[in-house]
């Protein structure tokens, strides 16, 4: 079958990526469309227009996921889904997530151009808030789709300013009423830049992703006592920021004691009252910890709790740790991974199997639906960075693989 299938239009795909990057451009050439902001709304609006132009039926579910359907010949056949996310890190790149959404759109545009009908319907999804910048963890909407959280739990989440996910979704006009998940899906494929250096280093154009590492997130609040920066002797201080900083340094050293080593990041810090002449009374900071093995993650959580409590005790600080989210390691469906591998082989594309270091909505989908991912190289593996870059020909190759993998599951006449 795949021999007769058309190739996608790589120039059109690149153009669409660049047009999406016009929304929320950052000073150094990246993208900043944090979930549930006005810029997220603008990105969604542009995507909605493209879906309508492609003749898709668009619905929005209760978590704000935008789901565009291209019906198949057999309305009873479970559909084949692709997608990713249009939201970005505050100083993010132009490809993380956006590529997967617009590669799915390019697949549909190509099928439209060539009048190709599929047996099962196809769906293209823009998942809400993959990046997890504001609400304590990423991939929350796809987690609700997969039944890991209830919709109500997701909508009730609050950002550090106290704004709720549900209210922010209403505010940007994307609080839909379609149910979140709960219908049969034959397969889910997500295309994404690798966000690491392996494919580029090895000269491969496509990664067949077999699964990914798990993670947990904490928000830690350290409380000491405010005081005058000029008069309070150093020996009498209960400085919440210095305590939090000691914790962050100790956390960054912990991976050296574990084999294989985890990755641990403190990426969010808020100091109160955040005034140069006051000893900080409160500091809140995030902990993100990732590892490919569930048992090691459990052990790491215990060690991190002990480490934070120990430093707080020594420095006479109060500490509260809130676990805001967790996700176990994931193994994808062997059949879907084989569909990706076979498509790359049929196209003569250099490829290799690999495991994802970053998390993706596909990890949630994999709990309820046969799932696999397609990675393409990005320059020097750089991601979550305005400088993130990818080659048009690699993006096109991954998109061609996506088309073939989807059709292998949806069926063509
Ligand atoms: C996704 O961006 C992740 O945090 O891995
Ligand atoms: Mn992503
Ligand atoms: Mn990301």
């Amino acid at each position: 079958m795949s021999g007769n299938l058309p190739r996608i239009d790589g120039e059109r795909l690149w153009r669409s990526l660049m047009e999406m990057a016009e929304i929320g451009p950052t000073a150094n050439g990246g993208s900043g469309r944090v979930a549930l902001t006005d810029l997220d709304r603008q990105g969604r609006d542009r995507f909605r227009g493209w879906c309508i132009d492609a003749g898709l039926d668009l619905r929005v579910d209760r978590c704000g996921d935008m789901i565009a359907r291209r019906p198949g010949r057999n309305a009873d056949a479970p559909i084949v889904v692709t997608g990713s996310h249009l939201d970005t890190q505050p100083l993010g790149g132009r490809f993380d997530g956006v590529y997967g959404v617009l590669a799915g759109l390019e697949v549909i545009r190509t099928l439209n151009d060539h009048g190709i009908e599929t047996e099962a319907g196809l769906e293209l999804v823009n998942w809400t808030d993959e990046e997890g910048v504001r609400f304590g963890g990423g991939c929350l909407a796809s987690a609700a789709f997969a039944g890991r959280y209830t919709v109500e739990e997701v909508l009730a989440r609050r950002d550090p300013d106290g704004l709720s996910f549900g209210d922010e979704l209403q505010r940007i006009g994307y609080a839909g009423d379609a149910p979140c998940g709960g219908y049969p899906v034959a397969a889910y494929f997500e295309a994404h830049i690798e966000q690491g250096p392996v494919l580029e280093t090895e000269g491969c154009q496509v990664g067949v992703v077999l699964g990914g590492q798990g993670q947990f997130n904490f928000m830690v609040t350290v409380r000491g006592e405010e005081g005058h920066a000029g008069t309070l002797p150093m020996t009498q201080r209960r400085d919440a920021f210095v305590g939090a900083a000691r914790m962050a340094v100790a956390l960054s050293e912990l991976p050296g004691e574990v084999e294989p080593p985890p990755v641990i990041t403190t990426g969010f810090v808020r100091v109160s009252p955040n005034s140069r002449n006051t000893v900080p009374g409160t500091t809140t900071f995030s902990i993100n910890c990732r590892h490919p093995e569930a048992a090691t993650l459990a052990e790491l959580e215990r060690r991190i709790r002990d480490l934070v409590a120990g430093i707080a005790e020594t420095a006479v600080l109060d500490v509260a740790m809130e676990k805001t989210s967790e996700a176990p390691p994931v193994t994808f469906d062997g059949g879907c991974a084989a569909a990706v591998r076979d498509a790359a082989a049929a196209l003569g594309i250099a490829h290799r199997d690999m495991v994802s270091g970053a998390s993706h909505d596909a990890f949630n989908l994999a709990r309820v639906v046969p799932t696999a991912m397609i990675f393409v190289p990005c320059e020097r593996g750089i991601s979550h960075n305005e400088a993130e870059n990818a080659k048009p020909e690699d993006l096109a190759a991954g998109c061609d693989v996506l088309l073939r993998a989807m059709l292998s599951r949806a069926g063509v006449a």
Side-chain angles (χ1 to χ4, degrees):
M1 173 188 79
S2 84
N4 302 326
L5 293 174
R7 303 296 284 257
I8 61 91
D9 182 340
E11 279 176 29
R12 178 171 56 190
L13 171 60
W14 182 261
R15 249 190 339 268
S16 298
L17 285 161
M18 295 307 109
E19 283 175 32
M20 187 53 74
E22 287 166 3
I23 299 171
T26 60
N28 298 305
S31 289
R33 284 187 309 279
V34 172
L36 311 191
T37 61
D38 291 343
L39 290 166
D40 183 19
R41 179 208 345 239
Q42 288 174 36
R44 286 165 172 266
D45 289 350
R46 184 161 288 188
F47 175 61
R48 183 179 58 190
W50 288 339
C51 289
I52 292 167
D53 290 347
L56 301 174
D57 301 322
L58 185 69
R59 65 185 192 277
V60 179
D61 74 19
R62 292 184 58 216
C63 284
D65 300 315
M66 300 172 72
I67 305 171
R69 180 176 287 210
R70 184 177 192 267
R73 232 190 322 262
N74 178 357
D76 296 327
I79 47 148
V80 174
V81 182
T82 189
S84 197
H85 58 99
L86 294 174
D87 70 309
T88 73
Q89 290 290 313
L91 294 176
R94 298 168 298 168
F95 304 95
D96 173 4
V98 190
Y99 169 56
V101 177
L102 299 185
L105 181 63
E106 178 53 39
V107 166
I108 284 165
R109 286 168 166 172
T110 302
L111 298 179
N112 288 350
D113 289 347
H114 294 268
I116 295 175
E117 261 192 292
T118 51
E119 194 60 23
L122 306 179
E123 278 185 352
L124 167 60
V125 186
N126 169 33
W127 300 105
T128 301
D129 191 12
E130 190 273 355
E131 294 289 359
V133 176
R134 297 174 59 189
F135 298 99
C139 303
L140 295 174
S142 58
F145 188 97
R148 286 187 50 230
Y149 296 118
T150 64
V151 169
E152 288 69 27
E153 281 169 333
V154 172
L155 298 183
R157 293 230 166 202
R158 291 190 184 274
D159 73 5
D161 296 319
L163 301 170
S164 83
F165 192 108
D167 288 349
E168 288 291 88
L169 204 50
Q170 288 277 356
R171 190 184 65 75
I172 68 162
Y174 279 91
D177 52 17
C180 186
Y183 57 96
V185 173
Y188 177 74
F189 294 100
E190 181 169 347
H192 206 283
I193 57 164
E194 181 200 335
Q195 306 182 277
V198 175
L199 292 174
E200 187 182 67
T201 306
E202 297 197 1
C204 286
Q205 229 173 0
V206 158
V208 180
V209 188
L210 306 180
Q213 62 182 352
Q215 63 171 296
F216 56 79
N217 286 284
F218 276 99
M219 198 60 102
V220 183
T221 303
V222 181
R223 288 206 173 78
E225 194 171 29
E226 279 129 37
H228 194 292
T231 59
L232 190 60
M234 297 308 284
T235 50
Q236 288 176 33
R237 293 186 179 197
R238 294 173 61 223
D239 184 325
F241 172 70
V242 170
R246 284 192 208 289
M247 292 170 193
V249 171
L251 288 165
S252 76
E253 287 164 352
L254 181 54
E257 298 168 22
V258 180
E259 194 50 49
V263 281
I264 302 179
T265 306
T266 290
F268 172 93
V269 182
R270 185 170 278 184
V271 180
S272 171
N274 211 15
S275 166
R276 74 183 66 239
N277 288 327
T278 298
V279 176
T282 305
T283 295
T284 305
F285 70 95
S286 63
I287 302 173
N288 175 263
C289 175
R290 307 189 193 211
H291 195 276
E293 291 154 20
T296 310
L297 277 172
E299 168 68 10
L300 281 163
E301 181 178 335
R302 197 187 56 70
R303 288 182 69 166
I304 287 172
R305 284 183 184 277
D306 286 353
L307 179 154
V308 167
I311 292 172
E313 194 181 339
T314 308
V316 200
L317 296 163
D318 296 323
V319 70
M321 295 183 71
E322 185 199 358
K323 196 202 265 185
T324 55
S325 66
E326 65 184 326
V330 172
T331 304
F332 287 151
D333 177 72
C336 286
V340 172
R341 198 180 296 113
D342 292 349
L347 288 160
I349 292 172
H351 58 281
R352 58 160 283 161
D353 290 356
M354 58 195 306
V355 170
S356 175
S359 286
H360 301 282
D361 293 305
F363 290 19
N364 285 322
L365 271 287
R367 303 188 164 275
V368 286
V369 171
T371 293
M373 290 186 75
I374 302 160
F375 276 178
V376 295
C378 57
E379 197 175 290
R380 292 188 292 129
I382 289 175
S383 186
H384 284 195
N385 185 316
E386 293 164 276
E388 181 182 275
N389 202 10
K391 291 191 185 127
E393 59 270 29
D394 293 342
L395 299 168
C399 189
D400 273 322
V401 169
L402 176 66
L403 181 145
R404 278 155 182 77
M406 289 180 74
L407 294 199
S408 77
R409 284 297 182 275
V412 283

